[in-house]
Amino acid sequence: MGSDMTIGRWILDRERVTPDRVAIDFMGDHTTYADLARGARGLAAELKQQGIAPGDRIAVLSANRPEYAVVLFACALGGFVMTPLNWRLTAAELAYQLNDAEVALCIVEESRMAQAKAALELAGVDPPARPMEQASGGDGEFTVDVADDDPLLLIYTSGTTGNPKGAVLTHANCFWTNLAIDRVMDVTTFDVVLQVLPQFHIGGWNVQPLLALWKGAKVILEPSFDPERALALIAEKRVTTMMGVPATYLFMAESDRFEETDLSSLRMAVVGGAPMPEDLIRVWRNRGVALVQGYGLTEASPNVLGLPPERASDKVGYAGKAYPHVEVALEALDGAGLIEGPGVGELLVRGPSVFAGYWRDPKATEQAMAGGW
């Protein structure tokens, strides 16, 4: 089962304790925890037989699908590193990431196979491409010693300072960031979590969905975001919590169905990715929904700051305090040192959820981790 913090333990535990509970509801099709564990275990064994070794990178190009979760847990069990690819990128941009990661296998949704082949034609690597729809393996057994500090995810940043850099997130990073957010914006075993964020983004895993699967909750997984459908799902599926970016909640609030939709089940909605306009927070508050803000970044897995739900009304516009197990500080922009009390500066973060470093880029890693922060 791996060490104490390895993510593969989560799905094996769920298979033993709540095998028949629905883990993922995808367009009305149900995947149980037993289905998810069986598929992940079988895929990990199959990939090992095909020569994929622990530490090898497996790229995924797909819209949101239950099979994406199968691949993640297969990587967790087999010691592989999942590299989610943003399907909005051009072939050349995808080729750069495929080359940089030196991927050993691509798992691709059938409808995006042409996009993947175009990227591979430009890339210097030539991994086999496997259809995402065939991601679940058969029954198989294997033994792999996976450690807490082994890499699980290689997620590329937006590349604001040049070419995108690959952030390496370990099993322990994912363990601690999920534990941290759970201690402020908890997900319970009875929750119904709506996931509309893409699975190629860190928020599509470590801001509720992966935590929900740890807890044995149900994830309502959508292939993409549609505001009117999201509202309908909240009422129909009795969604209790969700996460989105400000645009998610803006488009939902602008829908003609917003005022008439039954939102009574939605106890908490998390927002991140950008500051939330205060007027929009009040629009949702007037519908009885607590919109709680947070701040994070991929390099912190991503959860850094979070606003407790009970402060959503009197701290409108705030990103909250540092999560448990996360430390933050403010450094003066002139390099004069840490600022005590209110001020303007650069936010520093440290803790067990902070990434292992940038993929094969020790210089960038050293610059990012200067001073132990």
Side-chain angles (χ1 to χ4, degrees):
M1 291 182 67
S3 300
D4 290 341
M5 299 175 193
T6 53
I7 305 307
R9 294 183 63 101
W10 296 4
I11 196 59
L12 297 184
D13 286 341
R14 278 293 143 204
E15 180 186 32
R16 184 182 69 256
V17 178
T18 56
D20 299 324
R21 189 178 292 177
V22 174
I24 299 174
D25 180 340
F26 179 73
M27 309 296 285
D29 291 334
H30 291 172
T31 301
T32 68
Y33 279 94
D35 294 333
L36 197 52
R38 188 183 307 113
R41 192 170 52 247
L43 179 60
E46 185 177 332
L47 295 180
K48 182 183 178 184
Q49 292 172 357
Q50 293 175 359
I52 306 298
D56 282 351
R57 278 73 59 204
I58 297 177
V60 183
L61 183 66
S62 174
N64 291 359
R65 298 183 61 92
E67 294 91 343
Y68 221 138
V70 171
V71 175
L72 175 71
F73 283 114
C75 289
L77 291 170
F80 316 130
V81 184
M82 190 174 82
T83 304
L85 299 177
N86 183 343
W87 43 261
R88 299 190 183 109
L89 299 179
T90 66
E93 290 169 325
L94 291 172
Y96 171 82
Q97 294 183 14
L98 291 167
N99 275 339
D100 189 63
E102 294 185 350
V103 300
L105 173 69
C106 291
I107 297 180
V108 184
E109 188 177 26
E110 290 271 16
S111 62
R112 303 187 186 278
M113 195 62 76
Q115 183 184 16
K117 289 181 178 178
L120 287 170
E121 287 178 359
L122 298 174
V125 292
D126 187 26
R130 176 182 180 134
M132 172 64 99
E133 288 79 354
Q134 300 173 17
S136 293
D139 291 332
E141 297 298 330
F142 64 97
T143 301
V144 174
D145 185 16
V146 182
D148 296 339
D149 290 329
D150 285 346
L152 173 63
L153 291 167
L154 176 58
I155 299 185
Y156 281 83
T157 64
S158 57
T160 54
T161 58
N163 287 325
K165 297 187 289 291
V168 178
L169 303 180
T170 67
H171 288 256
N173 291 154
C174 294
F175 174 93
W176 284 105
T177 200
N178 278 281
L179 184 63
I181 194 172
D182 188 47
R183 291 183 169 179
V184 176
M185 305 175 189
D186 62 312
V187 169
T188 77
T189 191
F190 305 107
D191 270 317
V192 179
V193 178
L194 177 60
Q195 180 179 354
V196 296
L197 290 183
Q199 288 172 308
F200 63 70
H201 190 279
I202 188 59
W205 295 106
N206 284 342
V207 188
Q208 291 193 338
L210 195 53
L211 175 59
L213 297 176
W214 189 8
K215 290 294 194 75
K218 181 190 293 183
V219 176
I220 309 298
L221 180 64
E222 284 291 282
S224 59
F225 171 64
D226 176 86
E228 294 196 348
R229 178 167 168 79
L231 288 169
L233 286 170
I234 291 171
E236 175 190 349
K237 305 289 187 178
R238 305 303 293 164
V239 169
T240 59
T241 185
M242 63 178 291
M243 194 273 176
V245 297
T248 306
Y249 298 104
L250 174 63
F251 293 147
M252 292 170 71
E254 289 179 340
S255 169
D256 294 337
R257 298 184 179 181
F258 181 68
E259 292 298 333
E260 64 188 41
T261 298
D262 181 2
L263 302 178
S264 60
S265 64
L266 191 59
R267 66 176 178 85
M268 181 177 65
V270 182
V271 60
M276 184 77 164
E278 294 185 16
D279 289 346
L280 187 54
I281 294 177
R282 294 187 177 92
V283 167
W284 279 84
R285 186 176 63 185
N286 291 339
R287 289 296 334 270
V289 178
L291 269 182
V292 294
Q293 293 205 86
Y295 165 78
L297 70 162
T298 302
E299 289 88 341
S301 303
N303 304 305
V304 175
L305 303 174
L307 187 65
E310 67 271 18
R311 306 306 302 273
S313 296
D314 65 321
K315 287 293 184 180
V316 172
Y318 284 70
K321 299 179 180 180
Y323 284 108
H325 316 296
V326 177
E327 292 182 76
V328 296
L330 199 61
E331 184 176 46
L333 296 177
D334 61 5
L338 301 184
I339 298 172
E340 296 293 336
V344 176
E346 183 176 27
L347 185 69
L348 306 182
V349 185
R350 69 183 176 192
S353 59
V354 173
F355 75 150
Y358 291 115
W359 174 252
R360 294 180 176 174
D361 195 340
K363 182 178 180 181
T365 299
E366 183 180 0
Q367 290 174 342
M369 302 297 286
W373 292 88

